[in-house]
Amino acid sequence: MIHKAVILGTGPAGLTAAIYLARANMDPIVIEGPEPGGQLTLTTEVENFPGFPDGIMGPELMDNMRKQAERFGATFKRGWITDIDTSDRPFLIKADGLDIKSQSVIISTGASAKLLGIAGEKENIGKGVSTCATCDGFFFRGKKVVIIGGGDSAMEEANFLTKFASEVQVVHRRNDLRASKIMQDRARDNEKITWGLNKTPIEVLSGGKKVTGLKVKENDSDKEEVIETDGIFVAIGHRPNTSFLHGKVQTNETGYIDVKPGTTKTSVQGIFACGDVQDQHYRQAITAAGTGCMAAMDCERYLEGDASIDWSQTL
Ligand code: NAP
């Protein structure tokens, strides 16, 4: 069976694309990966998605989008995508056990927060280690927290965390911050923020149940010290989920998919990309949803304008 359109990923971009394509009678197949609903399912309240004056919980918003897509006929399948054969059309999408053929593909596999890879980090996620200040800052009211990173995200999240925490220490591996001057100035002007610069994190310490400290190495002296803290926020950037492409669709040097400016068209005709997998800068639910709509419209126009497709073979 050859499908008209397959959407990879079920964050706001993929689900918006699914709603639009389903309403256009394209019967999209939507492949759900390991994190159905994407990053918003790790969030608590979303206050900046237009249309919800009192806010909405992230998982509920994603659930609503999914129901809306299903209502118009989108079909959901679970699978970890391992490869796409782009050498010929229909494209062949491989997702553990599932082989799916489709005339077009929309990639909306998002991005994931990077981890440091140090001892004690992974096992303490949810016990004091977090990659999302917006999601978890609330739990650290009146407590001491550390934020790791020297980029704009770290500065933004450090400022955000001062709304809750009694002290926020920025730990960064160099003396110079990577963040833009305005973001640095904002953080430096915030009296609740302290600085642990030129220090490399080496271990997350915990008593088994919750984080108690961060062991760091002072880079000039190699001296180790323990920063006592209740929470550790890792803000060292995101990695786009594009490893399954194996270079078959053009990406930039950091792995984000290149799209033709002002469109969602990738380097391969018939393959479109939307959401965080192609967006290093805005990374908002609403911008992801917006590009999801664009991808569906680009895809629909592509399919309708393509006389070479034998529609009798599609669903
Ligand atoms: P980023 O700019 O890549 O910064 C990542 C930071 O983490 C860097 O300071 C880096 O250190 C540090 N880091 C990376 N790997 C590390 C490791 N293994 N151990 C310790 N530290 C490590 O990422 P980002 O801050 O998430 O920003 C990504 C993009 O989004 C940027 O273009 C940024 O401008 C944009 N953004 C904009 C805003 C805004 O304007 N409101 C807010 C957030 C993000 P080094 O500096 O030593 O490399």
Side-chain angles (χ1 to χ4, degrees):
M1 182 180 287
I2 300 168
H3 299 281
K4 293 173 202 157
V6 166
I7 298 167
L8 312 181
T10 53
L15 291 179
T16 303
I19 293 166
Y20 272 75
L21 278 185
R23 286 191 80 246
N25 290 330
M26 294 288 165
D27 310 309
I29 302 294
V30 189
I31 313 285
E32 267 182 327
E35 209 175 79
Q39 293 179 65
L40 273 196
T41 55
L42 307 174
T43 316
T44 48
E45 195 169 1
V46 180
E47 291 182 326
N48 56 6
F49 201 91
F52 300 93
D54 301 320
I56 180 165
M57 298 305 276
E60 189 187 351
L61 178 61
M62 299 322 298
D63 202 39
N64 286 346
M65 284 192 198
R66 185 192 161 114
K67 284 183 188 143
Q68 199 171 348
E70 278 175 328
R71 179 179 150 218
F72 294 113
T75 304
F76 288 76
K77 290 181 191 286
R78 287 298 283 270
W80 175 271
I81 304 142
T82 52
D83 203 4
I84 304 184
D85 184 351
T86 57
S87 59
D88 204 2
R89 233 189 36 215
F91 303 109
L92 176 64
I93 298 121
K94 290 186 176 281
D96 51 22
L98 295 172
D99 274 5
I100 299 174
K101 284 186 176 173
S102 179
Q103 300 290 9
S104 67
V105 179
I106 292 181
I107 303 173
S108 48
T109 43
S112 303
K114 285 190 203 163
L115 288 175
L116 294 155
I118 59 173
E121 183 187 37
K122 250 192 180 157
E123 51 270 41
N124 283 303
I125 289 177
K127 297 178 188 169
V129 174
S130 169
T131 55
C132 179
T134 323
C135 321
D136 300 326
F138 180 80
F139 302 117
F140 294 88
R141 198 173 283 277
K143 300 196 169 165
K144 280 174 73 171
V145 300
V146 161
I147 181 139
I148 299 170
D152 282 336
S153 295
M155 299 306 112
E156 190 170 74
E157 296 193 2
N159 269 315
F160 176 78
L161 286 167
T162 60
K163 289 186 191 173
F164 311 98
S166 56
E167 183 193 322
V168 177
Q169 176 162 176
V170 175
V171 171
H172 177 44
R173 63 185 176 182
R174 294 185 297 128
N175 273 319
D176 296 325
L177 297 170
R178 178 178 295 277
S180 54
K181 185 166 182 315
I182 187 166
M183 302 290 274
Q184 289 192 33
D185 288 349
R186 234 176 254 165
R188 290 193 193 281
D189 288 345
N190 191 323
E191 286 176 356
K192 275 187 167 182
I193 296 178
T194 59
W195 301 88
L197 299 180
N198 206 21
K199 290 178 180 172
T200 301
I202 47 179
E203 187 178 352
V204 172
L205 306 174
S206 75
K209 286 202 174 132
K210 61 184 183 68
V211 164
T212 55
L214 175 70
K215 194 190 274 185
V216 295
K217 187 184 74 178
E218 221 292 323
N219 290 337
D220 290 339
S221 63
D222 271 355
K223 217 175 100 193
E224 291 183 4
E225 69 171 285
V226 171
I227 301 169
E228 286 180 13
T229 185
D230 302 297
I232 297 172
F233 287 84
V234 183
I236 61 168
H238 285 75
R239 181 177 292 115
N241 298 319
T242 48
S243 59
F244 65 94
L245 291 174
H246 306 295
K248 290 172 202 161
V249 174
Q250 187 182 306
T251 58
N252 70 14
E253 68 284 354
T254 46
Y256 286 84
I257 296 177
D258 285 332
V259 290
K260 191 175 169 210
T263 78
T264 60
K265 293 176 191 167
T266 70
S267 58
V268 180
Q269 260 197 34
I271 299 188
F272 305 86
C274 53
D276 285 11
V277 76
Q278 53 82 57
D279 171 20
Q280 248 171 298
H281 298 291
Y282 300 103
R283 299 190 289 127
Q284 300 299 301
I286 188 67
T287 51
T291 56
C293 163
M294 288 167 64
M297 293 175 77
D298 286 346
C299 180
E300 187 188 344
R301 282 178 197 149
Y302 168 78
L303 290 172
E304 284 177 342
D306 194 335
S308 71
I309 296 175
D310 179 1
W311 286 97
S312 64
Q313 280 188 46
T314 59
L315 275 176

